[in-house]
Amino acid sequence: MAEFNSTQNKQGRFNGRPLLRLIEIERLIKLHRIETPCPTRQTLIRWCEEGLFETVGRLYEGEPWKVYEDSFWNWANRSKGVNQ
């Protein structure tokens, strides 16, 4: 694991904040019934591109989207109308 962190630090992309992939975000939305029906994968990607979720920059086009976990939960709380 130290090698992974070392690599991420050299790229300037790891700052200790937990990350979620879109598949995990889909699972959490369904599990907690944040939005019903769950947004499509294309909608989630569009939200990443529009900045609705704070993401790690992608180095190449095929790299999976990675969303900061706190950014996702902030959005989820706003969607549910929970005061932060």
Side-chain angles (χ1 to χ4, degrees):
M1 178 108 175
E3 184 176 326
F4 173 78
N5 287 340
S6 174
T7 302
Q8 292 295 316
N9 285 332
K10 286 178 186 172
Q11 294 174 348
R13 301 177 63 209
F14 181 79
N15 63 7
R17 292 169 65 192
L19 297 169
L20 300 171
R21 293 177 79 159
L22 293 184
I23 193 159
E24 181 67 8
I25 288 175
E26 290 172 331
R27 188 187 73 76
L28 290 169
I29 290 171
K30 290 174 186 175
L31 177 69
H32 296 286
R33 297 180 185 188
I34 296 166
E35 284 200 9
T36 305
C38 180
T40 65
R41 176 64 61 98
Q42 289 298 4
T43 298
L44 294 175
I45 290 171
R46 189 179 75 242
W47 290 352
C48 290
E49 292 170 344
E50 293 173 352
L52 184 65
F53 296 134
E54 187 180 353
T55 62
V56 174
R58 295 169 65 204
L59 295 177
Y60 55 91
E61 188 172 323
E63 183 177 15
W65 286 97
K66 295 177 205 99
V67 175
Y68 287 110
E69 185 176 11
D70 59 341
S71 171
F72 167 75
W73 286 115
N74 287 339
W75 167 82
N77 289 331
R78 284 191 311 269
S79 292
K80 289 292 222 178
V82 175
N83 291 331
Q84 299 179 21

